[in-house]
Amino acid sequence: MGLMDIRDRIANACQEVGRAPSEVELIAVSKVQPLDRVEAVLEQGHTLFGENRVQEAADKWPDFKARFPNVSVHLIGPLQSNKTRQAMELFDAIHSVDRPKLANGIARLAQELGHCPDLFIQVNTGEEPQKAGILPADADGFISEARALDLPIKGLMCIPPAEETPSLHFSLLRKIAERNGLTGLSMGMSADFEQAIAFGATHIRVGSAIFGDRVKPDA
Ligand SMILES: *Cc1c(COP(=O)(O)O)cnc(C)c1O
């Protein structure tokens, strides 16, 4: 448990499949964690964090960013259209672009703000009704649509169903990315990031294995 342990495990997982650890970005998922735990990881020099709620990030990160200026924060949770502006002002990347309305809103605001966070398209690889993400069958069309809007699409993101073998979902996500010429793969969490690395993950999202169990439940 802890940042250094996760870094070792990333290095080992990379070595096993002949990848360089520098190909894998570790997003430390700080949602719902007590601020002193987050601060401890900031003080160890870690600079990339993930949050799943816009409001929670808005309450927490402006202060931390003022003290730790090299920090980047990525939105990894669903984005409501009415929070798009706030999210674009707050986050360095958004991993949950999953519908045309949201893509259009981001494109419009990118013009107005003069900048746009890096974007990942979330794919609902398990086709779960309660989960965000574009369906696999609609992914190619949506990726083209987003590109036609000139959006900076860096890759794809998925959250496999809890009860299924994650590697099937990692390999599906990689296939969709490859046939669309996308290189970024945001996949893998505390329980399965080593498998995700074996399937080509470029961004792993690890929370509890770094910070400890979340004190409060999250959605
Ligand atoms: C909470 C969360 C994670 C991290 O989960 P852990 O199991 O604590 O590593 C990763 N991705 C998303 C989208 C999350 O909401």
Side-chain angles (χ1 to χ4, degrees):
M1 197 77 87
L3 183 65
M4 293 309 142
D5 175 49
I6 298 303
R7 287 205 174 293
D8 283 347
R9 287 170 58 187
I10 292 169
N12 288 334
C14 283
Q15 192 175 24
E16 274 186 29
V17 294
R19 300 185 63 196
S22 59
E23 294 170 25
V24 180
E25 302 253 26
L26 172 59
I27 302 173
V29 179
S30 47
K31 65 182 185 198
V32 208
Q33 295 287 352
L35 295 182
D36 59 331
R37 291 190 191 170
V38 183
E39 189 158 340
V41 171
L42 282 161
E43 268 162 6
Q44 289 176 79
H46 194 71
T47 56
L48 178 55
F49 292 81
E51 291 284 344
N52 71 334
R53 287 165 191 257
V54 176
Q55 192 53 52
E56 186 185 339
D59 292 341
K60 190 185 310 181
W61 283 100
D63 283 354
F64 276 145
K65 277 191 163 185
R67 291 173 51 210
F68 300 91
N70 296 325
V71 160
S72 302
V73 185
H74 290 192
L75 178 65
I76 60 172
L79 179 55
Q80 292 170 280
S81 297
N82 63 357
K83 296 206 172 150
T84 308
R85 176 188 293 271
Q86 196 185 5
M88 288 176 70
E89 287 168 346
L90 201 58
F91 293 102
D92 302 284
I94 296 172
H95 291 234
S96 48
V97 180
D98 66 350
R99 57 195 189 277
K101 184 181 178 203
L102 181 56
N104 283 308
I106 292 173
R108 201 171 344 102
L109 282 162
Q111 289 285 323
E112 184 190 323
L113 300 170
H115 72 91
C116 188
D118 288 342
L119 302 175
F120 290 76
I121 289 175
Q122 182 173 354
V123 183
N124 187 352
T125 57
E127 307 189 26
E128 295 172 282
Q130 82 285 7
K131 204 169 265 176
I134 192 101
L135 292 172
D138 299 331
D140 294 354
F142 183 52
I143 293 165
S144 318
E145 238 179 288
R147 282 181 160 151
L149 292 167
D150 258 336
L151 293 177
I153 306 294
K154 300 297 170 187
L156 304 180
M157 179 272 221
C158 76
I159 308 171
E163 65 289 352
E164 287 182 27
T165 311
S167 48
L168 297 175
H169 297 272
F170 298 154
S171 94
L172 172 59
L173 197 71
R174 180 170 68 178
K175 233 177 267 163
I176 298 171
E178 275 173 355
R179 71 175 180 240
N180 285 282
L182 289 168
T183 51
L185 288 171
S186 168
M187 58 191 199
M189 311 185 6
S190 290
D192 54 24
F193 69 85
E194 284 135 322
Q195 284 159 276
I197 287 171
F199 280 88
T202 59
H203 294 70
I204 58 173
R205 311 179 307 265
V206 181
S208 42
I210 293 176
F211 295 103
D213 287 337
R214 285 181 281 278
V215 182
K216 284 182 288 177
D218 63 273

